[in-house]
Amino acid sequence: MSVWDQIVGQKAAVKIFETAAHSARALRQANEDRTEDSALTRQMSHAWLVTGPPGAGRSVAALAFAAALQCEDPQTPGCGQCPECKRVLKGTHPDVKVVTTERLIIKIEEISSLVTLAQQAPAGGKWRVILMEDADRMVERTSNLLLKAIEEPPPRTVWLLCTTQPGDVLPTIRSRCRHVSLVTPSVEEVAQLLIERQGIAPETARQAAALSQSHIGVAKSLARDPEELERRRKILLSATTTSSVGEAALLAQKLVEAAKADASKRAEEKDQQELAQLRRSLGYDQEGSRLPPALKAQETALKADQKRRATRYLRDSLDRVLLNLLGFYRDVYLLQSGAQVPLINLDLQDTITQLAQGSSPERTVQRLDAIRAARRRLAANVTPLLTMEAMMMDLRQ
């Protein structure tokens, strides 16, 4: 199985990456022969911007391309079977650096270290690849530092920047990257992935693919966890049947508390492991031992990063609720407008039909706008409880 087989529903993007991987080999040979080929240079850019909706597989596609660049197969770059491909996919290749953040932003210190790394020749002699997930999580000062590195690239360094849409990065960065846009996979394609690679029953796979709105990661989670499916159903029913101000405020509070609990659960074990690892590295891992003041600052900095990560987990959890609500009211609007499009929430079809008949399309659009406004407020760092309360007031029946 080649590295491209991991990419779901992205035939156009795969073709671009395959062509570039072949060109990369020819370009390396041209450099060794000290000849120039402008066509090869255009096809194999030193910087790439991979965009697409959440769950489309941006980082998977970028990692597959990174593996193809390092591949040893003489005929097919990205064979998926050679040692180089396997090392890239496992995250152990010395010339492929994958940068991801669980915080709200990527620090300038992190980008500075990447700029230094980018100047180093690849150990294996092929390409040094730096893959940045969530490239939009940089403030302007940090983005400008990255821009300088992309403007003056070493001959064998490749930057792969992943984000949801081109406008998420500076125009100056965007103009220096080759853009590859991914699309939302179809429900059937995601369902087939779950059936073939996760061993999920076909009916469960199709339901999870539809409810996730073709978000591959979410679909896997829903297919493996029936309790999560039920939690999702209860939240939608509660959010769409609230009528009074008191009920709306109470439900908003419950949603935020549930999201906090989920974020805490996700972060707790990782936090403890990181703190224990830091103490071991400093030589103070014995139980009850206290760090001296000179080393305490490192523990304080780690805890601050962990707090930022918990904030991101909270926002991600609430955003998933908002996306589920968008899908629900999208179904309501489809029924009201008579569009011949399959519904997402087939398990709530009776509730959707009742709501569609009891309200107007204009009111449904207002509710959709309220949910989108809540997503923008969360992204702008508005207090989660205030954001959810304001939205629930607008969604009242």
Side-chain angles (χ1 to χ4, degrees):
M1 185 175 73
S2 75
V3 297
W4 312 114
D5 293 332
Q6 302 180 68
I7 306 173
V8 180
Q10 311 294 341
K11 292 182 180 180
V14 167
K15 185 176 181 180
I16 291 173
F17 284 136
E18 282 186 311
T19 301
H22 280 284
S23 298
R25 289 188 171 183
L27 186 60
R28 281 177 47 223
Q29 185 62 48
N31 289 337
E32 291 174 2
D33 297 340
R34 296 187 178 182
T35 60
E36 294 186 4
D37 191 322
S38 58
L40 292 177
T41 304
R42 288 194 299 272
Q43 292 172 346
M44 179 53 207
S45 173
H46 70 284
W48 296 74
L49 180 61
V50 184
T51 65
R58 298 184 302 269
S59 58
V60 173
L63 191 64
F65 182 41
L69 292 177
Q70 308 294 353
C71 182
E72 295 179 330
D73 188 288
Q75 301 298 327
T76 308
C79 68
Q81 305 301 318
C82 70
E84 293 291 274
C85 282
K86 292 180 178 179
R87 290 165 76 189
V88 174
L89 298 180
K90 290 179 180 178
T92 59
H93 198 288
D95 290 333
V96 178
K97 174 70 173 178
V98 178
V99 182
T100 182
T101 181
E102 294 179 316
R103 299 186 300 271
L104 297 177
I105 62 170
I106 299 174
K107 292 182 177 179
I108 193 169
E109 293 83 3
E110 295 176 271
I111 298 301
S112 179
S113 66
L114 292 178
V115 171
T116 301
L117 177 65
Q119 300 301 316
Q120 301 174 10
K126 295 185 179 70
W127 302 91
R128 179 167 298 283
V129 182
I130 301 176
L131 193 167
M132 289 185 60
E133 301 178 6
D134 300 320
D136 57 311
R137 294 183 181 270
M138 293 183 290
V139 298
E140 186 173 355
R141 185 166 65 107
T142 307
S143 295
N144 286 329
L145 180 59
L146 175 62
L147 172 63
K148 292 180 180 178
I150 293 178
E151 282 180 328
E152 302 174 358
R156 291 192 179 180
T157 293
V158 179
W159 291 87
L160 302 177
L161 311 181
C162 301
T163 187
T164 54
Q165 53 189 359
D168 291 338
V169 299
L170 291 178
T172 45
I173 291 179
R174 191 164 66 241
S175 65
R176 288 163 175 78
C177 295
R178 185 175 180 187
H179 181 208
V180 177
S181 179
L182 305 188
V183 298
T184 301
S186 70
V187 170
E188 283 301 321
E189 287 172 328
V190 176
Q192 196 63 31
L193 171 72
L194 297 178
I195 294 169
E196 293 178 354
R197 301 184 195 174
Q198 305 293 319
I200 306 298
E203 184 177 349
T204 302
R206 292 188 185 93
Q207 181 189 30
L211 294 180
S212 69
Q213 301 177 53
S214 293
H215 188 300
I216 297 173
V218 175
K220 291 178 180 179
S221 179
L222 291 174
R224 291 193 295 254
D225 189 356
E227 292 183 0
E228 185 172 345
L229 273 173
E230 184 59 23
R231 285 195 299 270
R232 178 188 182 281
R233 184 174 181 276
K234 288 181 178 179
I235 289 174
L236 287 177
L237 286 174
S238 299
T240 54
T241 56
T242 299
S243 57
S244 69
V245 172
E247 287 178 344
L250 182 59
L251 179 57
Q253 183 177 358
K254 287 182 178 180
L255 290 175
V256 173
E257 289 176 352
K260 286 181 178 178
D262 179 60
S264 178
K265 182 179 178 181
R266 290 177 61 189
E268 184 176 2
E269 183 177 352
K270 186 176 290 188
D271 289 352
Q272 293 174 354
Q273 290 176 349
E274 289 175 345
L275 284 171
Q277 184 177 0
L278 175 64
R279 283 177 164 269
R280 283 195 299 271
S281 67
L282 297 176
Y284 286 84
D285 59 335
Q286 295 183 359
E287 186 175 350
S289 62
R290 299 182 61 182
L291 288 174
L295 302 178
K296 189 69 175 177
Q298 297 185 47
E299 185 179 73
T300 301
L302 175 59
K303 288 182 176 179
D305 282 343
Q306 291 175 341
K307 186 176 180 180
R308 296 186 190 99
R309 179 171 62 202
T311 300
R312 177 172 177 181
Y313 283 171
L314 170 61
R315 291 184 181 178
D316 289 347
S317 182
L318 288 175
D319 193 58
R320 175 48 47 190
V321 172
L322 299 179
L323 287 173
N324 289 336
L325 284 169
L326 279 173
F328 180 90
Y329 282 109
R330 169 258 193 198
D331 287 348
V332 173
Y333 186 77
L334 287 177
L335 286 184
Q336 291 173 329
S337 62
Q340 300 300 312
V341 180
L343 300 183
I344 293 173
N345 300 276
L346 292 175
D347 56 331
L348 296 173
Q349 188 166 356
D350 291 342
T351 304
I352 292 170
T353 301
Q354 183 179 358
L355 188 57
Q357 294 173 349
S359 63
S360 66
E362 291 78 14
R363 178 66 179 124
T364 302
V365 170
Q366 291 173 356
R367 287 171 171 146
L368 288 168
D369 288 342
I371 299 168
R372 295 189 187 99
R375 295 192 71 199
R376 290 194 297 270
R377 288 165 184 158
L378 280 179
N381 206 25
V382 177
T383 304
L385 182 57
L386 292 178
T387 298
M388 299 304 287
E389 284 180 345
M391 182 194 71
M392 290 309 306
M393 297 298 178
D394 289 332
L395 295 184
R396 285 179 300 154
Q397 302 302 317

